[in-house]
Amino acid sequence: MAQAIEEWYKQMPVITRSYLTAAVAITIGCSLEIISPYHLYLNPKLVVKHYQFWRLITNFLYFRKMDLDFMFHMFFLARYCKLLEENTFRGRTADFFYMLLFGASVLTGIVLIGGMIPYLSASFARIIFLSNSLTFMMVYVWSKQNPFIHMSFLGLFTFTAAYLPWGMIAGHAYYFLEDVYPQMTGRRPLKTPSLIKALFADEDVVVARPENVRFAPPPAEELHRD
């Protein structure tokens, strides 16, 4: 059993393994009171005035209590983050990292801007951890890439990827700018910077699939439905 878990862990791609490890370690550390969540949460004033820039990162790594909700997000992180990195971003680790960086920046920007809007600032001030949002952002991007593939949670619930989750602003922003907008204009605004590409040494990968096919075809019943 232990060996199987070790092999499963070692076979994870680098970004997924690193993120999962950091998230589990920090959440366990907080549960054991080794680390204080007060040193991790997103606080714009502490970031700007006291230069506590680590909060821009650590708020994406803490998933609060180790309960069913924690298991839920670790499942999605381990499974769908891995699927994205191994399939959609296969051989493009730098692009995958840039996607996460873009999503984290959008989510942080939403909280910061929302905190400056009268009558809404109090609501946004309560958003101090964005780890769950970033996880669902990855699930959303994966669902847009694979809209006809059925998803399941621990084998208990099965649902169609295109309908989960709703309203993911960061994920949809990335999907539009990376997949839709380039097809409309021929320009790619989210091209990964050379500096980030230099951090990851990806091998060239040849994928045997027809051109311009990004996801599985719809099932027969979808095609013939009135």
Side-chain angles (χ1 to χ4, degrees):
M1 180 67 178
Q3 185 176 1
I5 295 177
E6 182 180 358
E7 289 298 322
W8 169 78
Y9 178 77
K10 288 181 178 180
Q11 290 176 1
M12 282 187 177
V14 60
I15 300 295
T16 302
R17 184 171 64 246
S18 300
Y19 191 11
L20 181 66
T21 301
V24 172
I26 287 181
T27 303
I28 291 178
C30 290
S31 298
L32 298 177
E33 298 184 354
I34 299 174
I35 307 172
S36 172
Y38 291 104
H39 296 151
L40 307 175
Y41 76 97
L42 179 62
N43 186 315
K45 291 183 179 179
L46 293 178
V47 171
V48 175
K49 294 184 178 180
H50 296 275
Y51 309 108
Q52 297 183 7
F53 299 114
W54 67 82
R55 294 179 182 273
L56 297 174
I57 299 175
T58 55
N59 82 92
F60 289 102
L61 301 177
Y62 178 51
F63 286 82
R64 302 177 186 267
K65 297 185 298 182
M66 296 188 64
D67 52 12
L68 183 61
D69 184 67
F70 174 77
M71 292 179 58
F72 180 83
H73 287 286
M74 290 303 99
F75 170 79
F76 276 118
L77 179 59
R79 178 170 174 78
Y80 295 105
C81 180
K82 180 174 180 286
L83 287 174
L84 266 180
E85 190 171 358
E86 286 185 338
N87 295 297
T88 303
F89 292 92
R90 185 180 181 185
R92 299 191 296 132
T93 306
D95 292 343
F96 183 60
F97 177 80
Y98 190 55
M99 183 204 77
L100 295 180
L101 182 62
F102 173 82
S105 300
V106 170
L107 292 170
T108 302
I110 291 173
V111 173
L112 296 181
I113 295 174
M116 296 184 292
I117 300 176
Y119 306 108
L120 294 178
S121 58
S123 298
F124 280 96
R126 291 195 291 266
I127 304 176
I128 57 178
F129 291 105
L130 293 168
S131 49
N132 293 352
S133 298
L134 186 61
T135 301
F136 278 123
M137 177 257 185
M138 288 186 283
V139 176
Y140 182 86
V141 172
W142 184 89
S143 71
K144 297 298 290 186
Q145 298 287 344
N146 305 272
F148 300 106
I149 296 180
H150 290 275
M151 303 167 64
S152 64
F153 172 58
L154 300 178
L156 300 176
F157 307 102
T158 301
F159 36 84
T160 303
Y163 302 104
L164 179 80
W166 294 99
M168 299 306 300
I169 298 176
H172 189 72
Y174 178 85
Y175 170 74
F176 177 80
L177 293 174
E178 177 66 13
D179 292 282
V180 179
Y181 186 78
Q183 294 183 16
M184 296 169 55
T185 65
R187 291 177 291 182
R188 186 186 172 199
L190 288 184
K191 185 177 181 180
T192 305
S194 301
L195 178 62
I196 294 180
K197 282 186 173 292
L199 297 175
F200 302 93
D202 289 320
E203 298 180 357
D204 294 333
V205 176
V206 177
V207 180
R209 65 179 183 183
E211 294 183 359
N212 300 323
V213 175
R214 298 189 60 83
F215 44 75
E221 59 269 20
E222 293 284 346
L223 294 175
H224 298 289
R225 182 176 297 173
D226 293 333

CSV table of all heavy atoms in Angstrom, one decimal, residues 29-30 33-41:
chain,number,residue,atom,x,y,z
A,29,GLY,N,0.4,21.5,8.8
A,29,GLY,CA,1.1,22.4,9.7
A,29,GLY,C,0.2,23.3,10.5
A,29,GLY,O,0.4,23.5,11.7
A,30,CYS,N,-0.8,23.8,9.9
A,30,CYS,CA,-1.8,24.7,10.6
A,30,CYS,C,-2.7,23.9,11.5
A,30,CYS,O,-3.0,24.3,12.6
A,30,CYS,CB,-2.6,25.5,9.6
A,30,CYS,SG,-1.7,26.7,8.7
A,33,GLU,N,-0.9,23.3,14.6
A,33,GLU,CA,-0.5,24.6,15.2
A,33,GLU,C,1.0,24.8,15.1
A,33,GLU,O,1.5,25.5,15.9
A,33,GLU,CB,-1.0,24.6,16.6
A,33,GLU,CG,-2.6,24.6,16.7
A,33,GLU,CD,-3.1,24.8,18.1
A,33,GLU,OE1,-2.2,24.8,19.1
A,33,GLU,OE2,-4.3,24.9,18.3
A,34,ILE,N,1.6,24.2,14.1
A,34,ILE,CA,3.0,24.5,13.8
A,34,ILE,C,3.1,25.8,13.1
A,34,ILE,O,4.1,26.6,13.3
A,34,ILE,CB,3.7,23.3,13.0
A,34,ILE,CG1,3.6,22.0,13.8
A,34,ILE,CG2,5.1,23.7,12.7
A,34,ILE,CD1,4.1,20.8,13.1
A,35,ILE,N,2.2,26.1,12.2
A,35,ILE,CA,2.1,27.3,11.4
A,35,ILE,C,0.8,28.0,11.8
A,35,ILE,O,-0.2,27.3,12.0
A,35,ILE,CB,2.1,27.0,9.9
A,35,ILE,CG1,3.4,26.1,9.6
A,35,ILE,CG2,2.2,28.3,9.1
A,35,ILE,CD1,3.4,25.6,8.1
A,36,SER,N,0.8,29.3,11.8
A,36,SER,CA,-0.4,30.0,12.1
A,36,SER,C,-1.0,30.6,10.8
A,36,SER,O,-0.3,31.2,10.0
A,36,SER,CB,-0.1,31.2,13.0
A,36,SER,OG,-1.3,32.0,13.2
A,37,PRO,N,-2.3,30.3,10.6
A,37,PRO,CA,-3.0,30.9,9.4
A,37,PRO,C,-2.9,32.4,9.3
A,37,PRO,O,-3.0,33.0,8.3
A,37,PRO,CB,-4.4,30.4,9.6
A,37,PRO,CG,-4.3,29.2,10.5
A,37,PRO,CD,-3.2,29.5,11.4
A,38,TYR,N,-2.7,33.0,10.5
A,38,TYR,CA,-2.6,34.5,10.5
A,38,TYR,C,-1.4,35.0,9.8
A,38,TYR,O,-1.3,36.2,9.4
A,38,TYR,CB,-2.6,35.0,11.9
A,38,TYR,CG,-3.9,34.8,12.7
A,38,TYR,CD1,-4.1,33.8,13.6
A,38,TYR,CD2,-5.0,35.7,12.4
A,38,TYR,CE1,-5.3,33.6,14.2
A,38,TYR,CE2,-6.2,35.5,13.0
A,38,TYR,CZ,-6.3,34.5,14.0
A,38,TYR,OH,-7.5,34.3,14.6
A,39,HIS,N,-0.4,34.1,9.6
A,39,HIS,CA,0.8,34.5,8.8
A,39,HIS,C,0.7,34.1,7.3
A,39,HIS,O,1.6,34.4,6.6
A,39,HIS,CB,2.0,33.8,9.4
A,39,HIS,CG,2.3,34.2,10.8
A,39,HIS,ND1,3.0,33.3,11.7
A,39,HIS,CD2,2.1,35.3,11.4
A,39,HIS,CE1,3.1,33.9,12.8
A,39,HIS,NE2,2.6,35.2,12.7
A,40,LEU,N,-0.5,33.6,6.9
A,40,LEU,CA,-0.6,33.1,5.6
A,40,LEU,C,-1.7,33.9,4.8
A,40,LEU,O,-1.6,33.9,3.5
A,40,LEU,CB,-1.0,31.6,5.6
A,40,LEU,CG,-0.1,30.7,6.4
A,40,LEU,CD1,-0.7,29.3,6.4
A,40,LEU,CD2,1.3,30.6,5.8
A,41,TYR,N,-2.7,34.4,5.4
A,41,TYR,CA,-3.9,34.9,4.7
A,41,TYR,C,-3.5,36.2,3.9
A,41,TYR,O,-2.6,36.9,4.2
A,41,TYR,CB,-5.0,35.2,5.7
A,41,TYR,CG,-4.9,36.4,6.6
A,41,TYR,CD1,-5.5,37.6,6.2
A,41,TYR,CD2,-4.2,36.4,7.7
A,41,TYR,CE1,-5.4,38.7,7.0
A,41,TYR,CE2,-4.1,37.5,8.5
A,41,TYR,CZ,-4.7,38.7,8.2
A,41,TYR,OH,-4.6,39.8,8.9
